[in-house]
Amino acid sequence: MNAPMDHHDARADGNWPLRPVLLAGIGAAAALVIQQLLGKPLEPPVDRLALAIAIGTGAIGFGFVAQRLRLQWAVVFSLVIGAATGLIVFWQGLPGGSPDFWSWRLACLFLAIAIAAPLFQTARDEGRFKLPYANLYGHALTNVVLWFAAWSFVAVVWLMSWLLAALFNLIKIDFLEKLLGKDWFVALLLGASFGAAVGLFRERDRILRLLQNVVTSVLSVLAPALGAGLLLFLIALPFTGLDALWEATKSTTPILLSCVVGALILANAVIGTGEDDRAANPLLRFGAMALALVTFPLAGIAGFATGLRIGQHGFTPDRLWALTFVIFATAFGIAYLVSLLRGRMDWAGQARTANVRLAIAIAAVALFLATPIVSFNAISTADQVARLTSGKVSPDKFDWRALAFDFGEPGKTALKRLAASANPKVAAKAVAVAKAGNRYEVGELVEQDRALAGIAERLRILPKTVPIPPELLKILPGFAACGREINAQCTLVYTPGATEAWAMQSACFDEVPQPSGTPPMVTAPNCQIGRITLSNGEWKIVELNLAPPMALAERQRLAAAFARGQVEIRPVARRQLFVGGVPVGEPFE
């Protein structure tokens, strides 16, 4: 299956010997400027960061769209996308201020540019805004192939440079190794090699067309296999039920969306750019139809999974982005289903038309979402805080870590408001979380509170059940005492008014091993007895006593005695060597 090139493509991709040299120079200069902007300090201000990203985007964009035909158009296009990217990044601020921008929003921005590039290239070839599908599809696929081919060339250049450096080192000449240790030289090398690669591949159009043909041919062969597999999956669902999807993994939506993307790619590899380019093999055609048929139900199930998570746990930026991509997938699913219903065996033409319209729409929506006009952080913050203040979620189960570190400035602002809440539990938690310096510390606070909330239910007190001082109770969920596992039973040796207590995790003792089984944790170094003392009104874990290894019969007797509550503290007399009144070495038995 060969993607045809019409007269517009042939004229646009004509010989231009200066192109590799020109693009190598632009790539080297852009990479060097970016390195100088971002190299020092380690966290550059937002204006320098925005300028660096703008230069990189504009330079790469020019390399991909530059042709002798209407060269000034390519210059304007690269300047526009560079300026737009820089302004949007500057608008968003530094990475710490808007976490979702430096993941999904930035991805949306470059998705919009990636779609805009073949649209521009096709219009440039036509000399007006006209989008023949064959040219548009050809440019889109060429750009994808060119991207990976150029970076492969860069990797080869990098490896070759280090090989030469190692070779010269054999004869005590280390100038190349020293150069490769310089950031400015690395930037020049990578930028020049990427630009040269784009120019060289553009000058060897046959190689790109050959790579396109190989890619589409291989992908089209996979269409029947994936189509049959996805159909069988949908047929099996009524018998297994949707509950199996939620029980198997928490990544149901990403997996389903990946299947939708794979189905769209393989289906388009089969239908090609037109009737003359369409696969002739009936098996491939039916495979493409099967893929078109399953796209909508897969997107629908992904939407249902996302809606279920939102209903249970509320909005988060990630769930809103998942919902966005589900909408994109559903749009393609509906378009392909309508194409099948209308065109039946001749559905491909309508699907190609839908591809162009949806690509333009997605580019526009993606560009809009890349801007801070709509803030998923603010939407998520408002929803989560409403769930907390309404009592739908208790302070102990609320995701404080996400509010403090995942929702950007709206989350931090809401945290300050919650610190002044009329609910004392909410206010105390908000104050504690605000003092945390990182996600790990917040996680520790949350886990500690959850463990503390259930410590009384999992505690056995020996020699008899008595009230436990609140301050002692607070320290028990520590790792060196009863641990954090909310279902792990713990035994505490304590008498009223005592200034000492001993905590033991029950799992260390109450697991009776079988002769062929693994020994209980009592023989493991992480199974310990925590000695807790009261000093100056504060309970502290001051000593850990590790249990020594023992024979199987001894372990079984120990487990049985522990289960009966035969636990006590006894003074033990030992002998030890003293030199000049100072003990030396470990005590003797």
Side-chain angles (χ1 to χ4, degrees):
M1 186 169 64
N2 298 320
M5 297 284 288
D6 69 6
H7 67 283
H8 294 295
D9 293 306
R11 182 179 63 183
D13 293 331
N15 248 357
W16 189 14
L18 183 62
R19 176 160 44 189
V21 178
L22 175 64
L23 296 187
I26 292 175
L32 181 60
V33 172
I34 292 172
Q35 185 273 326
Q36 293 296 311
L37 286 170
L38 301 183
K40 295 179 181 179
L42 293 177
E43 295 184 2
V46 66
D47 54 346
R48 290 169 62 176
L49 182 63
L51 181 59
I53 294 177
I55 291 172
T57 303
I60 293 174
F62 179 79
F64 272 71
V65 304
Q67 303 286 355
R68 282 194 300 184
L69 177 66
R70 302 185 180 94
L71 180 60
Q72 65 274 20
W73 288 27
V75 173
V76 172
F77 176 80
S78 60
L79 290 175
V80 168
I81 62 172
T85 303
L87 289 173
I88 289 175
V89 171
F90 183 78
W91 193 358
Q92 292 287 349
L94 289 172
S98 181
D100 73 322
F101 171 72
W102 295 94
S103 53
W104 296 117
R105 283 185 182 271
L106 200 59
C108 279
L109 176 59
F110 289 116
L111 173 64
I113 294 173
I115 295 174
L119 294 172
F120 165 79
Q121 290 167 297
T122 305
R124 185 258 337 264
D125 295 344
E126 295 294 322
R128 61 188 188 279
F129 191 75
K130 184 180 180 182
L131 303 173
Y133 190 81
N135 286 2
L136 183 61
Y137 182 86
H139 280 305
L141 189 55
T142 296
N143 290 345
V144 173
V145 172
L146 184 58
W147 174 262
F148 289 104
W151 282 115
S152 299
F153 181 83
V154 171
V156 171
V157 170
W158 181 249
L159 292 175
M160 185 184 68
S161 300
W162 276 107
L163 178 62
L164 289 174
L167 182 65
F168 277 99
N169 278 347
L170 295 177
I171 55 175
K172 309 299 182 183
I173 299 176
D174 61 354
F175 76 95
L176 185 54
E177 183 181 27
K178 289 181 178 178
L179 282 176
L180 289 173
K182 304 290 187 182
D183 292 341
W184 63 266
F185 182 79
V186 171
L188 283 174
L189 179 65
L190 298 183
S193 57
F194 183 83
V198 172
L200 289 170
F201 279 116
R202 284 292 190 190
E203 287 301 295
R204 288 155 179 79
D205 189 57
R206 290 183 181 179
I207 296 177
L208 285 178
R209 281 200 296 250
L210 177 62
L211 289 174
Q212 289 181 40
N213 292 338
V214 170
V215 170
T216 54
S217 297
V218 170
L219 292 179
S220 63
V221 170
L222 299 175
L226 183 61
L230 294 179
L231 275 176
L232 288 175
F233 171 79
L234 291 175
I235 292 172
L237 274 183
F239 301 97
T240 63
L242 290 178
D243 290 341
L245 292 177
W246 327 138
E247 294 170 1
T249 176
K250 293 182 179 179
S251 302
T252 301
T253 298
I255 292 173
L256 292 171
L257 289 180
S258 298
C259 290
V260 171
V261 172
L264 292 174
I265 291 174
L266 297 189
N268 279 279
V270 174
I271 67 176
T273 62
E275 293 304 314
D276 295 337
D277 185 43
R278 190 178 175 186
N281 190 312
L283 182 62
L284 299 185
R285 292 194 174 193
F286 282 114
M289 293 178 68
L291 292 173
L293 183 63
V294 302
T295 300
F296 177 67
L298 288 175
I301 297 172
F304 180 76
T306 303
L308 194 63
R309 293 289 292 174
I310 291 174
Q312 292 173 339
H313 306 290
F315 287 130
T316 66
D318 284 345
R319 291 184 194 123
L320 287 171
W321 283 113
L323 182 61
T324 300
F325 297 133
V326 164
I327 293 172
F328 288 166
T330 303
F332 273 100
I334 293 174
Y336 278 44
L337 185 61
V338 171
S339 298
L340 280 171
L341 293 175
R342 287 182 176 178
R344 296 181 176 82
M345 294 299 295
D346 295 325
W347 68 282
Q350 296 186 44
R352 296 187 196 102
T353 301
N355 283 342
V356 177
R357 294 173 178 173
L358 286 172
I360 295 173
I362 288 176
V365 173
L367 181 61
F368 175 75
L369 291 177
T371 69
I373 296 174
V374 175
S375 173
F376 286 176
N377 283 336
I379 295 173
S380 301
T381 298
D383 180 65
Q384 293 295 335
V385 170
R387 289 165 58 86
L388 174 65
T389 55
S390 67
K392 193 172 185 179
V393 179
S394 67
D396 292 333
K397 295 183 178 180
F398 185 70
D399 194 348
W400 294 96
R401 181 164 41 189
L403 186 68
F405 294 99
D406 295 343
F407 294 175
E409 288 302 323
K412 296 175 182 177
T413 302
L415 193 61
K416 293 178 182 178
R417 290 200 308 268
L418 291 174
S421 171
N423 185 325
K425 290 185 177 180
V426 171
K429 185 72 71 174
V431 170
V433 170
K435 293 179 180 178
N438 52 56
R439 295 174 57 87
Y440 175 78
E441 291 182 12
V442 176
E444 284 291 296
L445 288 172
V446 172
E447 291 301 319
Q448 183 177 355
D449 287 345
R450 288 176 180 172
L452 181 60
I455 188 63
E457 288 75 16
R458 60 189 181 100
L459 191 63
R460 179 178 67 162
I461 304 169
L462 296 176
K464 63 179 181 179
T465 302
V466 294
I468 303 296
E471 294 302 320
L472 173 58
L473 199 64
K474 287 182 179 179
I475 202 172
L476 291 181
F479 289 110
C482 293
R484 295 285 179 80
E485 295 295 329
I486 60 176
N487 296 321
Q489 298 299 308
C490 181
T491 294
L492 182 72
V493 178
Y494 172 77
T495 56
T499 58
E500 285 185 306
W502 290 264
M504 297 159 283
Q505 297 182 33
S506 298
C508 298
F509 300 92
D510 60 10
E511 296 179 4
V512 180
Q514 301 301 319
S516 60
T518 58
M521 292 179 62
V522 72
T523 64
N526 63 333
C527 204
Q528 55 209 3
I529 301 169
R531 178 170 172 252
I532 312 170
T533 63
L534 177 63
S535 177
N536 297 324
E538 183 179 0
W539 288 93
K540 292 183 179 179
I541 300 175
V542 296
E543 188 177 358
L544 299 177
N545 189 351
L546 305 182
M550 59 186 69
L552 175 61
E554 290 179 299
R555 294 199 300 268
Q556 291 175 329
R557 283 196 296 272
L558 178 66
F562 183 81
R564 292 192 299 268
Q566 294 178 343
V567 180
E568 57 183 322
I569 303 297
R570 293 181 179 180
V572 178
R574 296 184 182 278
R575 294 186 299 163
Q576 189 170 9
L577 179 69
F578 281 71
V579 177
V582 178
V584 177
E586 296 295 328
F588 297 103
E589 292 295 333

